[in-house]
């Protein structure tokens, strides 16, 4: 599910990355902008995602909401999440297209122990490379948005690729192409931010005083951004994190603990060796054996 | 050549088999666990048939270790209760390390260091088993929240490193104190070894308290 041949890497899980070939123009960062205020909840994006990525989402169950399937699955990389929000006398239907946010500081990639199972291209897209995935679920723990899903069929992790295979040939992601109201835009990150600011001015003029862009800085910004009418309360939108960041536990686990642990083990080994070299072995002497015999056979004498 | 005193039986055959199942499991767990802990050690997954297989096998070896260690625990825990002599021994740890343990109290089957290894590994293996269940997504993913899994991952790694450090002490002690290893390979020690290191136990064994 990746396009390693055509896109340069910025990060590679559990490994270091060679810089892009010399002479290459710097990559342009891309982003998808989802304008929640323009979404009509038709699920064309969900269908387009299944179709383009040839995913087979088994028929599930009806859970009494419009969410179908109820949550992301290994085969449903994007799911519309519907929230009924009573804002004073006004009932607002908040519909958010859930899926990978393509964090600039990707927790999944930092948590991944398998070299090259998760990559981040220089254009900002975070991609899972299935052939290197070992199915350990560390990406699930690293992700601040609860996005990766482990397949019960092949024990590998799956999520939105931001259609890296389309982007690499100059196409917009399938969901953006299918959206009938153009609630999903795709382009350079700078263009998307500029476009969002126009939309926010428009929304504010319509009475949404807290309209704003969701591009959380806790993960150094994302390559999927939302225009929200209530940007002051992202969690209204089916639990979108107000201030997402990589868990400090993951930070410790994948940060200081790694070198300190190996250092401690190495130190213990060296300490043992040095002790043996300086103090020498502890041997039983001949007199110990003699005294033992004396004690054991004391009665016989 | 040293004339050895009559050997003293220290471990039954069953206890030795129990110990070596535990030992092999622990080494395999350390290798497979470290391979997923630090990228520089990922190559160790090759020993287990690759990353996917390492991820599959590691928890099952953990189950073997947990069951096996439980056997060791019930065999030995009554012999590992702390007593006053152990505190004296610990205070004179420096003398012990310098190979000058003469003059310390006579010891039963285990000295304070061995008891600390025993209790340390008992607590750590319990913690590793519990946190390991939380991380065993194949069967137990739905039992815990993602935050609990994050905590379990950190706890599992910390306990594993501590257990590996204790294991290094345990193995080194067997290399350093000559005549020890045969207790776990052949089941017996020389009388002199028993007299020197565990005299109280030796007196009991030869019926001369």
């Amino acid at each position: 599910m990746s396009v390693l041949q055509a896109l340069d890497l910025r990060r590679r899980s559990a490994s270091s990355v060679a810089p892009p070939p010399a002479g290459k123009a710097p990559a342009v960062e891309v982003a998808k902008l989802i304008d929640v205020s323009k979404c009509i909840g038709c699920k064309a994006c969900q269908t387009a995602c299944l179709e383009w990525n040839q995913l087979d989402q088994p028929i599930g169950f009806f859970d009494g909401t419009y969410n179908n399937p109820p949550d992301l699955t290994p085969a449903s990389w994007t799911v519309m999440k519907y929230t009924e929000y009573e804002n004073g006398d006004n009932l607002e239907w908040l519909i958010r297209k859930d899926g990978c946010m393509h964090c600039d500081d990707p927790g999944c990639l930092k948590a991944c122990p398998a070299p090259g199972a998760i990559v981040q291209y220089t254009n900002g897209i975070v991609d899972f490379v299935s052939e290197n995935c070992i199915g350990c679920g560390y990406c699930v723990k690293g992700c601040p948005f609860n996005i990766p899903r482990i397949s019960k069929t092949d024990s590998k992790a799956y999520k939105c690729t931001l259609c890296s295979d389309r982007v690499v040939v100059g196409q917009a992601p399938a969901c953006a192409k299918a959206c009938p109201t153009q609630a999903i835009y795709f382009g350079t990150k700078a263009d998307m931010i500029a476009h969002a600011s126009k939309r926010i001015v428009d929304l504010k003029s319509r009475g949404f005083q807290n309209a704003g862009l969701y591009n959380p800085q806790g993960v150094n910004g994302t390559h999927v951004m939302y225009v929200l009418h209530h940007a002051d309360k992202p969690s209204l939108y089916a639990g979108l994190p107000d201030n997402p960041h990589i868990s400090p536990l993951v930070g410790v686990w994948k940060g200081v603990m790694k070198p300190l642990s190996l250092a401690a083990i190495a130190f213990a080994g060296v300490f043992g060796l040095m002790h043996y070299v300086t103090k020498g072995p502890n041997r039983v002497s001949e007199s110990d054996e003699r005294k033992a015999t004396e004690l054991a056979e004391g009665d016989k004498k | 050549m040293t004339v050895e005193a009559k050997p003293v039986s220290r471990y039954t055959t069953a206890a030795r088999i129990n110990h070596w199942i535990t030992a092999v499991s622990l080494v395999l767990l350390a290798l497979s666990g470290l391979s997923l802990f630090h990228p520089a050690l990922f190559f160790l997954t090759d020993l287990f048939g690759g990353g996917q297989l390492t991820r599959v096998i590691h928890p099952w070896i953990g189950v073997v270790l947990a069951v096996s260690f439980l056997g060791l625990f019930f065999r030995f825990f009554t012999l590992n209760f702390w007593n006053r002599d152990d505190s004296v021994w610990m205070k004179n740890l420096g003398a012990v390390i310098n190979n000058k343990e003469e003059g310390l109290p006579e010891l039963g089957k285990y000295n304070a260091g061995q008891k600390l290894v025993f209790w340390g590994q008992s607590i750590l293996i319990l913690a590793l088993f519990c946190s390991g269940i939380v991380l065993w997504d194949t069967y137990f993913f739905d039992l815990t929240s993602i935050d609990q899994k994050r905590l379990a991952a950190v706890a599992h790694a910390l306990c594993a490193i501590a257990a590996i450090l204790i294991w290094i002490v345990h193995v080194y002690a067997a290399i350093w104190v000559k005549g020890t290893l045969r207790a776990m390979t052949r089941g017996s020690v020389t009388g002199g070894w028993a007299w020197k290191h565990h005299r109280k136990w030796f007196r009991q064994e030869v019926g001369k308290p």
Side-chain angles (χ1 to χ4, degrees):
Chain A
M1 296 301 164
S2 62
V3 281
L4 295 172
Q5 302 87 350
L7 290 172
D8 293 325
L9 298 185
R10 183 171 145 206
R11 289 192 176 101
R12 187 177 189 269
S13 58
S15 30
S16 52
V17 144
K24 242 184 156 173
V28 177
E29 290 198 28
V30 297
K32 182 161 77 181
L33 180 68
I34 302 170
D35 187 344
V36 173
S37 69
K38 284 170 77 177
C39 175
I40 58 170
C42 68
K43 297 180 184 168
C45 54
Q46 252 182 260
T47 310
C49 178
L50 293 170
E51 203 166 285
W52 175 259
N53 293 299
Q54 297 182 316
L55 297 169
D56 182 17
Q57 172 62 50
I59 294 173
F61 59 90
F62 176 60
D63 75 341
T65 72
Y66 283 89
N67 306 342
N68 178 23
D71 196 8
L72 299 170
T73 74
S76 284
W77 299 345
T78 187
V79 167
M80 312 295 300
K81 296 277 184 79
Y82 298 77
T83 308
E84 286 158 26
Y85 170 50
E86 289 182 48
N87 189 5
D89 291 338
N90 199 13
L91 178 70
E92 293 179 16
W93 207 16
L94 307 179
I95 308 165
R96 177 170 69 86
K97 177 189 180 299
D98 194 16
C100 178
M101 299 297 286
H102 296 271
C103 303
D104 201 63
D105 184 22
C108 57
L109 189 150
K110 291 198 164 167
C112 178
I118 303 181
V119 296
Q120 183 181 38
Y121 306 116
T122 44
N123 67 10
I125 294 177
V126 178
D127 224 351
F128 285 6
V129 184
S130 299
E131 67 185 60
N132 294 331
C133 175
I134 64 168
C136 63
Y138 288 6
C139 53
V140 176
K141 295 160 192 70
C143 176
F145 293 95
N146 183 19
I147 299 298
R149 295 289 182 274
I150 310 291
S151 164
K152 292 273 180 202
T153 311
D154 66 359
S155 293
K156 287 172 187 284
Y158 293 98
K159 70 160 189 74
C160 162
T161 67
L162 207 63
C163 283
S164 54
D165 50 346
R166 291 173 60 87
V167 171
V168 72
V169 291
Q171 295 278 315
C175 57
K177 179 152 183 170
C179 181
T181 64
Q182 293 187 342
I184 307 172
Y185 300 88
F186 181 80
T188 69
K189 181 152 180 175
D191 282 354
M192 293 301 102
I193 291 172
H195 183 77
S197 61
K198 279 187 238 164
R199 288 294 306 141
I200 290 159
V201 170
D202 180 57
L203 282 168
K204 284 189 172 165
S205 75
R206 291 160 187 259
F208 292 104
Q209 285 311 311
N210 295 314
L213 178 68
Y214 186 80
N215 177 32
Q217 292 310 300
V219 290
N220 203 25
T222 51
H223 293 269
V224 170
M225 303 182 292
Y226 292 111
V227 171
L228 303 176
H229 350 51
H230 307 290
D232 55 327
K233 287 179 277 186
S235 52
L236 284 180
Y237 299 83
L240 184 64
D242 287 327
N243 180 25
H245 55 270
I246 299 175
S247 161
L249 285 169
V250 175
V252 169
W253 176 37
K254 293 293 166 176
V256 291
M257 250 182 93
K258 287 197 292 188
L260 285 184
S261 299
L262 293 201
I265 291 173
F267 177 79
V270 171
F271 184 85
L273 181 64
M274 284 302 125
H275 178 265
Y276 201 85
V277 169
T278 56
K279 304 296 179 188
N282 181 323
R283 288 187 200 282
V284 176
S285 68
E286 208 160 333
S287 84
D288 291 329
E289 297 290 358
R290 204 168 50 241
K291 285 172 187 162
T293 308
E294 282 168 14
L295 180 74
E297 297 173 359
D299 280 354
K300 292 172 191 165
K301 285 181 183 167
Chain B
M1 201 187 137
T2 309
V3 182
E4 285 181 6
K6 215 173 140 218
V8 189
S9 169
R10 192 160 164 87
Y11 291 113
T12 62
T13 307
R16 269 143 48 212
I17 291 171
N18 195 169
H19 170 269
W20 287 112
I21 290 173
T22 311
V24 170
S25 311
L26 192 129
V27 170
L28 293 176
L29 281 166
L31 291 173
S32 53
L34 283 170
S35 76
L36 301 185
F37 175 68
H38 199 294
L41 300 174
F42 189 80
F43 71 95
L44 291 171
T45 57
D46 287 347
L47 296 173
F48 302 88
Q52 282 263 4
L53 274 172
T54 305
R55 187 258 309 158
V56 170
I57 290 168
H58 179 88
W60 285 110
I61 305 174
V63 171
V64 172
L65 177 96
V67 172
S68 176
F69 189 84
L70 204 62
L72 289 184
F73 182 85
F74 284 114
R75 277 175 206 283
F76 301 136
F77 82 96
T78 50
L79 295 162
N80 279 281
F81 292 130
W82 200 261
N83 62 40
R84 201 172 298 153
D85 290 342
D86 294 321
S87 303
V88 175
W89 193 91
M90 280 309 288
K91 282 195 191 101
N92 292 284
L93 191 61
V96 176
I97 287 174
N98 284 301
N99 292 334
K100 291 184 182 116
E101 73 265 47
E102 300 85 4
L104 289 182
E106 294 186 3
L107 298 171
K109 192 162 181 178
Y110 296 110
N111 64 39
Q114 292 167 306
K115 288 178 182 179
L116 287 176
V117 167
F118 177 84
W119 290 111
Q121 295 299 51
S122 298
I123 291 163
L124 289 170
I125 286 168
L126 179 66
L128 284 162
F129 181 77
C130 295
S131 55
I133 292 288
V134 177
L135 296 174
W136 201 353
D137 289 351
T138 313
Y139 305 107
F140 306 108
F141 183 84
D142 294 330
L143 292 186
T144 52
S145 72
I146 290 175
D147 256 332
Q148 288 166 335
K149 290 183 216 301
R150 289 174 180 142
L151 188 62
V154 174
H156 199 74
L158 269 179
C159 291
I161 297 303
I164 290 170
L165 291 177
I166 292 180
W167 174 81
I168 292 174
V169 172
H170 179 66
V171 170
Y172 176 68
I175 295 169
W176 163 40
V177 182
K178 297 298 172 195
T180 304
L181 199 59
R182 57 175 279 178
M184 261 312 160
T185 52
R186 289 152 62 193
S188 66
V189 289
T190 69
W193 186 94
W195 192 87
K196 181 176 164 81
H197 299 299
H198 300 278
R199 203 170 301 162
K200 202 185 276 178
W201 168 70
F202 180 55
R203 288 184 199 281
Q204 286 161 8
E205 290 298 306
V206 296
K208 305 279 167 45

